[in-house]
Amino acid sequence: SCYSIGKEKVLYESSLRSNQQLYVSEKKFKMLKCVRNPQQEKDISSRIVERCTQDPAQSELHIIPMGIAGEMWPYFVANFNACADYALELEHRHYQKVVAFMPTGWAM
């Protein structure tokens, strides 16, 4: 999970190393398109959109809102039930395990 913007390098590397696209919502996709800078094509933040799909069936890497993976206030608390519920709602796959990570310095 992640904030609205930020951590594009983590998402990009996750996509490359797993050889999968990143499923993102339409809202997240539009935000990532705004980050693109044609003058900095080598910058990962500008290339992240190339690794994204809006079809949840095309990837096992789903970028979800932070509120699903856990709560940040007053300290980080994982929301295992919400992650499991999210996976159960995916009609195209039947997962037996879910791994969630929050790439943020606030969740230490």
Side-chain angles (χ1 to χ4, degrees), residues 4-45:
S4 298
I5 60 171
K7 309 301 184 200
E8 286 82 14
K9 292 178 182 178
V10 173
L11 300 177
Y12 189 84
E13 283 297 320
S14 298
S15 174
L16 281 179
R17 291 173 188 233
S18 66
N19 196 30
Q20 292 191 53
Q21 290 185 298
L22 301 164
Y23 164 70
V24 295
S25 67
E26 180 180 356
K27 180 180 177 181
K28 180 73 171 179
F29 189 75
K30 287 178 181 179
M31 285 183 216
L32 290 172
K33 282 177 33 178
C34 290
V35 175
R36 292 182 92 172
N37 183 347
Q39 297 172 350
Q40 296 179 343
E41 290 182 17
K42 293 183 179 181
D43 182 43
I44 288 173
S45 295

